[in-house]
Amino acid sequence: MNPVMFDEVYQSVVRRDSTYDGVYYTGVRTTRIVCRPSCRARTPKASNVTFYTSLEEAVRAGFRPCKRCRPDAGGRLGPDAVLAAQADTMLEARFAERLTLQSLAEPLGVSPFHLQRTYKRITGQSPAARLDQIRLNKARELLKDSGLTVADIGKAVGLRGPSHFAAWFQRKAGLAPTEYRILCEGGEKNDAEHIPSHPEARE
């Protein structure tokens, strides 16, 4: 970490604010304890601090999680798992919007790069791939159970333009939206068994 960034993160430790919680972890070499930057414990001297970009990295270096600020809370990977869960909640709520990695990361208080890296490490897929999966599931539901036009369904899942939506759906589901709807209306053995349940991963 360069000196300028170190000073910025260390000042958040001094202030006990949460700006860098989940982004950096404070390893205190004198106690061998790793904390969140916002930990309310006694502020360590800068000369005794090492910042890590993941809790796993700090643990591998011989630090144990603080019992006061619980950097390991929220699952095996601690705040990283919490961040991924928060991103999932936003994706589920805002899938109809024109989401970008930037617009997803900003409300979570992290950089797009950190969100992409952390989310993929926790879930095994990128936020874009998860967004596609949510949109595909919703599109299937609307095609099967609503009377909306294909164009309206495309808009409802955040894809503007019927041709764009139709091409996207065919690529993800393996058949055109109208074909999917006809199969559903015909009561044939179809969507659950013959259509891929997971979209292709997109980086």
Side-chain angles (χ1 to χ4, degrees), residues 7-193:
D7 288 342
E8 183 174 338
V9 181
Y10 181 72
Q11 286 308 309
S12 76
V13 174
V14 174
R15 295 190 303 269
R16 296 187 172 99
D17 70 47
S18 60
T19 301
Y20 291 102
D21 280 11
V23 180
Y24 292 105
Y25 300 84
T26 310
V28 184
R29 292 191 294 274
T30 51
T31 61
R32 306 307 294 174
I33 289 175
V34 58
C35 302
R36 302 173 190 263
S38 64
C39 186
R40 309 302 294 180
R42 186 175 178 179
T43 303
K45 293 181 179 179
S47 58
N48 294 328
V49 166
T50 299
F51 290 114
Y52 295 92
T53 56
S54 75
L55 182 60
E56 290 177 307
E57 185 183 4
V59 171
R60 284 197 300 269
F63 293 87
R64 65 185 185 279
C66 174
K67 292 183 179 179
R68 183 167 185 171
C69 67
R70 300 283 307 280
D72 55 340
R76 185 175 61 85
L77 299 180
D80 289 348
V82 174
L83 177 63
Q86 290 172 331
D88 269 337
T89 298
M90 288 184 61
L91 289 168
E92 291 280 359
R94 300 175 56 189
F95 68 88
E97 299 177 24
R98 293 187 178 182
L99 281 179
T100 65
L101 196 59
Q102 177 68 43
S103 64
L104 187 63
E106 190 172 339
L108 296 174
V110 298
S111 71
F113 172 79
H114 179 74
L115 177 60
Q116 173 85 355
R117 181 185 65 174
T118 301
Y119 189 89
K120 190 166 185 179
R121 178 160 55 83
I122 296 295
T123 68
Q125 63 181 161
S126 68
R130 175 58 182 154
L131 179 59
D132 265 1
Q133 186 176 20
I134 293 168
R135 285 173 167 169
L136 182 61
N137 290 341
K138 184 63 177 178
R140 284 174 170 164
E141 178 185 323
L142 292 174
L143 285 165
K144 183 177 181 181
D145 300 325
S146 81
L148 293 175
T149 66
V150 169
D152 286 340
I153 291 172
K155 291 178 183 178
V157 299
L159 297 170
R160 304 301 185 265
S163 59
H164 178 205
F165 170 65
W168 173 86
F169 189 90
Q170 175 127 20
R171 187 171 71 252
K172 299 295 178 182
L175 72 172
T178 50
E179 293 173 326
Y180 180 89
R181 173 168 270 170
I182 289 169
L183 286 173
C184 291
E185 289 174 349
E188 297 179 23
K189 213 173 163 184
N190 50 70
D191 52 305
E193 298 180 26

